[in-house]
Amino acid sequence: MTVQTTAKPKLTDREDIARRLLRGSAKASFDPLVEIDWDAPVDPDMWALRPERISLYGTPLWDRLSEEKRKELSRLEVASVATVGIWFETILMQMLVRHAYHNDPTTNHVQYAYTEIADECRHTVMFARMVGKLGWHAHRLDPVAYHLGRVFKAIAHGPLIFAGALFVEEVLDQIQREAVTDEQILPLVRSVSRIHVVEEARHMRYAREEFARDWARRGALNKAYSRLVLGLVTYYSTTRLINPKVYEQVGLDPKEAYRAAKANPHWIDTKTWAARKVVGTLTTAGAISGLGRHFWRKAGLLGR
């Protein structure tokens, strides 16, 4: 008689993955200060984001905006999202430094962590340059999100570090992949997106593997805590993507526009679409459930 057993899938060797990622970094890394033409003018007749991805698309407020203002809003929304990207990548860099501090620097795994930190340093400068070119002044997040970010970077452990990183990187990646090949999008935005997509593909592989490896060894209580904190991180990151001041800059009432965007089915669908891959990964792992799942849904990441 043959006895069938169910074996857990074997995770790929940590050092082998890091070795391949380091090799990929050596072959395809970019200096955005050199690669991008920062002196080129921003064409006001082009979009910075596909119209259907703009938070007010399809609402009565959208109908009130001229084509010129709609395109300006696209630039401001991309800049606002990039500002949140800077905020979270700064948090991520600090968490990765702490992660490396507790591990052996002679390993490929830790050396790739340092490589990713270097990538993220360049990305934050690149995003900051783009924000200025798109006509937006970066505003500090509201006190609640700002201080929760400080707490999160101080207390996050393995699975939270990498699940949080995977969420932000996957959402940005989906939007930017769409922009890279779209000729109606500003060359500046397409260039920034191309660099970010190439380098973030490695970061996402690293985060995905580290999350799976660490999550598997955590106990029930630790997982419950992680689900809740992760839900809060995704909620505060997502609901701050579009700063209400962008609406004011195009002549709309910021409170009215914020409410319209929050209820806009097109915007909810865009967020759900952008988060679909990471939602699938984390749902399969059992990391989106309970009260934490409530925050994912409240942020518009699980559909209508």
Side-chain angles (χ1 to χ4, degrees):
M1 181 178 68
T2 302
V3 178
Q4 293 184 339
T5 60
T6 303
K8 292 183 178 180
K10 184 180 179 181
L11 290 169
T12 309
D13 179 71
R14 191 187 210 187
E15 282 293 273
D16 182 56
I17 291 171
R19 185 180 302 109
R20 281 182 274 164
L21 292 173
L22 285 166
R23 191 160 53 239
S25 296
K27 290 180 179 178
S29 289
F30 305 94
D31 181 349
L33 297 183
V34 175
E35 296 283 341
I36 297 173
D37 182 1
W38 295 104
D39 294 325
V42 173
D43 186 348
D45 293 326
M46 296 187 75
W47 298 93
L49 183 68
R50 286 188 178 182
E52 64 270 23
R53 301 298 182 201
I54 298 173
S55 64
L56 293 179
Y57 178 82
T59 67
L61 290 179
W62 177 261
D63 294 336
R64 280 166 42 187
L65 291 174
S66 66
E67 190 76 355
E68 178 186 0
K69 288 296 182 182
R70 290 174 181 177
K71 288 175 178 175
E72 182 182 0
L73 181 60
S74 78
R75 296 193 296 273
L76 296 175
E77 290 204 359
V78 167
S80 178
V81 171
T83 300
V84 174
I86 292 170
W87 169 68
F88 198 87
E89 289 196 339
T90 302
I91 290 172
L92 174 59
M93 285 187 280
Q94 293 177 73
M95 294 192 297
L96 285 172
V97 167
R98 195 172 74 247
H99 176 71
Y101 183 83
H102 294 292
N103 289 281
D104 181 356
T106 67
T107 62
N108 293 324
H109 167 74
V110 172
Q111 288 172 24
Y112 185 74
Y114 286 126
T115 300
E116 180 172 341
I117 292 164
D119 290 345
E120 300 295 12
C121 284
R122 294 194 304 274
H123 294 172
T124 54
V125 174
M126 177 174 70
F127 283 173
R129 285 282 188 99
M130 181 180 70
V131 166
K133 289 287 290 185
L134 293 177
W136 175 247
H137 299 288
H139 300 274
R140 177 180 284 187
L141 293 175
D142 59 277
V144 173
Y146 179 76
H147 289 296
L148 282 176
R150 294 183 65 185
V151 171
F152 177 66
K153 67 183 175 62
I155 67 171
H157 59 353
L160 276 175
I161 292 172
F162 294 106
L166 191 58
F167 166 72
V168 174
E169 289 168 352
E170 287 270 21
V171 168
L172 286 175
D173 184 72
Q174 292 303 302
I175 295 170
Q176 290 177 326
R177 280 182 184 274
E178 192 175 63
V180 169
T181 57
D182 192 336
E183 294 186 358
Q184 70 177 325
I185 303 298
L186 284 164
L188 170 63
V189 175
R190 293 174 65 190
S191 295
V192 168
S193 297
R194 177 179 59 85
I195 291 172
H196 203 244
V197 162
V198 170
E199 297 188 339
E200 288 297 331
R202 297 189 292 266
H203 301 178
M204 289 187 289
R205 175 70 190 279
Y206 186 69
R208 205 174 289 118
E209 291 284 340
E210 283 305 300
F211 167 76
R213 182 175 287 103
D214 207 334
W215 184 256
R217 66 183 181 83
R218 298 287 171 168
L221 185 60
N222 193 289
K223 285 183 176 180
Y225 160 79
S226 297
R227 291 185 191 103
L228 176 58
V229 175
L230 182 58
L232 288 168
V233 168
T234 56
Y235 173 78
Y236 278 99
S237 298
T238 305
T239 54
R240 271 62 180 176
L241 284 175
I242 309 300
N243 189 312
K245 292 181 184 295
V246 305
Y247 305 127
E248 185 175 25
Q249 196 162 325
V250 295
L252 298 173
D253 178 87
K255 292 182 179 179
E256 179 188 9
Y258 178 81
R259 290 192 298 268
K262 185 178 180 181
N264 183 9
H266 293 286
W267 178 229
I268 294 170
D269 288 347
T270 286
K271 290 185 288 184
T272 303
W273 162 79
R276 71 193 188 283
K277 288 188 177 181
V278 68
V279 166
T281 298
L282 297 179
T283 298
T284 299
I288 302 178
S289 63
L291 183 56
R293 183 179 178 84
H294 164 74
F295 288 108
W296 283 81
R297 183 168 297 283
K298 190 176 179 183
L301 299 167
L302 303 181
R304 289 181 271 162

